[in-house]
Amino acid sequence: MACLPVPYPDELLYSVIARYGVHSGITSPKQLLDDVFQNRKIIASVAFQGHLSQISIHYQGNADLTPCKLLQAHTLFPLYSSFVHPDITEHAKHELLSDCRHSAEVQLGKAASKVKSPYYLRYCPLCVGAQVKQYGEAFWARRWQLPGLSVCAEHGMYLIGSPVLISEVHRHQFIALSPHVLLHSSPRLTTKKVAMLAAYAQQLLNLPEQRIHSLQWSCFYYQLAKQLGFVRRKRVEHNLIANLVLGYWGAHTLASFSLSISKVDENNWLRCLFRKHRKSFSYLQHLIVWQACYEQQLDLAEILFEVSQLPQSHYDDVPAHIEPVIVDQVRRTEWQHVVAKFGVKGARNQGFAGLYIWLYRHDKQWLMQFNQDSVRPSIVKINKVDWPCRDKKYVKQLISLINEVETQLDSDRHTVTWLVTHASIPLSQIKHLEKLPLCKLFFEKYCESIEEYQCRRIALACIDSLKKYEQLKAWRIERIAGLSKERTRPIVSQLLGYAVKYEAS
């Protein structure tokens, strides 16, 4: 069992495992995975290191290092848990705690967020000096890797990007914060507001998890707009909110967070935040709005607790009220004209959304009936392509290609994509194979299965060995062919056995 070092305060699990490799003198990434996880296929994740139950085994008897506490204190999970639907949060949490593959970056919204994660691991040189002085070594801190924020909350300095790339290139490698990854760069001081924002983000990392439904967030933001005086007859004045946020932060600062606000765009992120929540928003979007509204009086723990106690709709405390039917012939006639000109959807997009809303509230039955009767018939799609002619042309190109490469044993696997690409056929045509019967027949005959491709690689490896007068050994042939016992299909293993046996005899 690996003797993992005890995590330092605010240290990433990624850093803990990397430090263990340095302490143990392990230079091979695969050996490090074997020691810690007993599994060579684990991916090193900076934000959400999974297989926490496996990691916590190395801390048996330490009640402060259970899987749940490791997740809360040494990953970026707390940045997302309170802002995502509770069911999604629980599912992602279960995957991270258990010994299985996880998709937390996708489930929690990190992968598709407007707020982009850093491409390189970052550090604060002042913090590194303090770490070395206090602990005798440096480590990767959580607060340095916050998506969208490149500021140290402790010193108010801009972080420095290290050469350690967070990507799929070395996805099984844990790289420690050592002197050779530190760059000689002078830290720059940030503004007071951005430093305060980074401090709030660090505070959010250390708060307990709250189960908050998206409808509760809708209720909170409606009440917030009401408290600010930005609600008029139950309608949120989005332009006033935009003026407040832009006036506090400035367009340049918001652009640096990749969170620009365009008043012209009806669906900008700030408007969506104050509407009914149909999707989750990042921690940074929430903090930017809260700081602009509360400034130094912002109490994150109190806000999260209050939101968790709200009803799941801000209409729960509003008595049901049915608008009386009002027949306004002028508005009916106007709607009929614009629908005749633009269609129902086009009329709403051409500046008549207010007219539609008025009719929907006061004359809904007539509006729905008229819109249903005004649906434009779908246009019959005319086939403008001569598919038989195109089919013959493409299959001739494919036949010419297969005649050229049929004897080339060192070519890549002959898949549909490979054949189409090398035959100079647009890849988009693969979607229309039902209209290209000759091409479809060609692919069924000449596309290689995985077994056929592996057999070809084995044959090529045998030929290379015989040319070099080397004895045919199974391990040597597999290595030349780039195969392994785990990936080699049974029929290919059988062929390899025949080849080695034949040569030996």
Side-chain angles (χ1 to χ4, degrees):
M1 180 180 294
C3 186
L4 287 182
V6 174
Y8 294 121
D10 199 45
E11 183 181 12
L12 287 166
L13 277 176
Y14 174 95
S15 175
V16 175
I17 298 170
R19 284 198 298 117
Y20 167 74
V22 174
H23 294 176
S24 304
I26 299 174
T27 58
S28 168
K30 295 293 186 181
Q31 184 183 347
L32 180 59
L33 295 179
D34 270 340
D35 276 19
V36 178
F37 301 100
Q38 290 77 52
N39 186 344
R40 292 192 165 200
K41 298 180 181 179
I42 302 297
I43 295 175
S45 175
V46 173
F48 307 114
Q49 184 57 56
H51 303 268
L52 297 180
S53 59
Q54 186 73 21
I55 295 174
S56 67
I57 293 176
H58 302 291
Y59 299 115
Q60 286 184 352
N62 193 331
D64 293 329
L65 296 174
T66 61
C68 288
K69 291 184 178 179
L70 289 173
L71 179 67
Q72 287 294 127
H74 300 285
T75 71
L76 298 185
F77 183 77
L79 281 185
Y80 300 86
S81 59
S82 297
F83 306 112
V84 182
H85 193 285
D87 294 342
I88 298 176
T89 303
E90 283 301 313
H91 188 265
K93 186 175 181 179
H94 171 74
E95 287 188 348
L96 289 168
L97 296 177
S98 59
D99 190 20
C100 66
R101 295 180 63 182
H102 69 84
S103 55
E105 293 201 2
V106 176
Q107 293 184 63
L108 298 177
K110 178 177 178 291
S113 175
K114 288 176 67 69
V115 179
K116 299 305 178 185
S117 299
Y119 293 105
Y120 294 88
L121 282 172
R122 302 174 303 193
Y123 66 92
C124 170
L126 300 180
C127 289
V128 170
Q131 289 174 353
V132 173
K133 185 176 180 180
Q134 183 176 359
Y135 303 109
E137 61 180 335
F139 55 88
W140 297 113
R142 282 194 304 173
R143 61 179 179 274
W144 300 340
Q145 318 307 332
L146 303 182
L149 270 179
S150 183
V151 176
C152 174
E154 295 290 334
H155 301 97
M157 299 287 184
Y158 281 106
L159 298 170
I160 298 174
S162 73
V164 182
L165 180 65
I166 305 173
S167 69
E168 297 292 318
V169 179
H170 304 292
R171 60 179 186 167
H172 300 291
Q173 189 172 6
F174 294 85
I175 303 175
L177 178 56
S178 54
H180 76 274
V181 303
L182 299 177
L183 303 177
H184 297 288
S185 179
S186 301
R188 296 182 295 113
L189 194 65
T190 186
T191 63
K192 182 180 179 181
K193 292 179 180 178
V194 176
M196 191 188 306
L197 180 65
Y200 285 136
Q202 182 178 357
Q203 182 183 341
L204 183 62
L205 277 174
N206 299 313
L207 290 178
E209 179 185 345
Q210 295 283 358
R211 294 177 58 88
I212 302 176
H213 197 277
S214 56
L215 293 177
Q216 291 173 306
W217 282 119
S218 302
C219 181
F220 166 76
Y221 278 104
Y222 181 80
Q223 291 186 1
L224 176 60
K226 202 170 184 179
Q227 292 170 9
L228 296 170
F230 294 158
V231 175
R232 183 180 179 186
R233 296 180 182 177
K234 299 184 181 179
R235 177 185 175 88
V236 177
E237 297 290 341
H238 295 286
N239 286 333
L240 298 179
I241 297 172
N243 291 338
L244 172 66
V245 176
L246 282 169
Y248 181 85
W249 289 106
H252 178 74
T253 304
L254 291 175
S256 68
F257 299 142
S258 301
L259 292 175
S260 299
I261 299 171
S262 172
K263 293 183 181 180
V264 181
D265 185 5
E266 288 290 325
N267 294 310
N268 66 66
W269 68 267
L270 186 60
R271 281 178 175 264
C272 294
L273 191 67
F274 278 84
R275 290 171 174 164
K276 180 179 179 181
H277 283 216
R278 293 177 172 83
K279 61 178 182 179
S280 60
F281 296 86
S282 75
Y283 81 98
L284 191 58
Q285 291 168 304
H286 290 279
L287 289 183
I288 283 174
V289 175
W290 297 351
Q291 187 171 328
C293 296
Y294 297 103
E295 295 195 49
Q296 296 183 358
Q297 286 74 40
L298 177 57
D299 188 336
L300 298 184
E302 183 180 351
I303 286 180
L304 292 177
F305 177 76
E306 287 181 359
V307 177
S308 66
Q309 303 303 311
L310 289 173
Q312 294 192 357
S313 171
H314 62 263
Y315 298 108
D316 288 1
D317 55 351
V318 179
H321 176 69
I322 301 174
E323 296 283 353
V325 176
I326 302 175
V327 177
D328 189 328
Q329 199 59 47
V330 176
R331 285 190 170 91
R332 282 187 178 184
T333 304
E334 185 182 0
W335 181 251
Q336 289 171 338
H337 287 322
V338 296
V339 168
K341 185 177 181 180
F342 302 110
V344 175
K345 186 176 181 180
R348 296 175 64 181
N349 294 333
Q350 291 294 328
F352 297 95
L355 176 61
Y356 174 87
I357 292 171
W358 190 94
L359 290 170
Y360 185 88
R361 287 178 176 173
H362 302 95
D363 203 0
K364 182 177 178 181
Q365 187 174 357
W366 175 87
L367 178 67
M368 295 293 102
Q369 185 62 46
F370 174 76
N371 288 349
Q372 186 177 0
D373 296 339
S374 303
V375 175
R376 294 180 176 179
S378 57
I379 301 173
V380 179
K381 188 176 181 181
I382 301 174
N383 191 1
K384 297 181 180 180
V385 179
D386 188 351
W387 288 104
C389 179
R390 183 173 290 186
D391 191 20
K392 292 177 183 178
K393 174 186 173 183
Y394 287 163
V395 81
K396 286 179 182 179
Q397 294 175 224
L398 290 167
I399 291 173
S400 299
L401 172 66
I402 204 67
N403 288 338
E404 293 178 10
V405 303
E406 198 168 18
T407 56
Q408 298 176 7
L409 296 180
D410 57 346
S411 62
D412 293 332
R413 181 185 166 199
H414 298 166
T415 61
V416 173
T417 305
W418 189 91
L419 291 169
V420 168
T421 304
H422 287 75
S424 301
I425 299 173
L427 279 172
S428 59
Q429 301 302 302
I430 298 178
K431 297 185 293 185
H432 304 287
L433 277 181
E434 71 281 355
K435 301 177 182 178
L436 303 169
L438 295 177
C439 292
K440 186 176 181 180
L441 186 63
F442 177 90
F443 292 137
E444 290 174 354
K445 182 175 181 180
Y446 289 103
C447 282
E448 285 185 316
S449 64
I450 295 177
E451 289 82 359
E452 291 171 336
Y453 179 48
Q454 289 186 349
C455 287
R456 178 155 64 86
R457 289 163 67 179
I458 291 292
L460 182 62
C462 290
I463 293 172
D464 288 345
S465 294
L466 292 174
K467 284 182 179 179
K468 296 177 182 177
Y469 301 101
E470 295 176 345
Q471 187 178 3
L472 295 184
K473 295 289 186 181
W475 62 267
R476 180 181 290 128
I477 300 302
E478 285 183 339
R479 187 178 63 183
I480 296 173
L483 299 173
S484 63
K485 291 182 179 180
E486 294 80 11
R487 290 185 293 173
T488 305
R489 300 296 174 90
I491 191 171
V492 182
S493 300
Q494 190 176 1
L495 172 65
L496 179 60
Y498 287 150
V500 174
K501 183 179 178 182
Y502 174 80
E503 198 275 341
S505 60

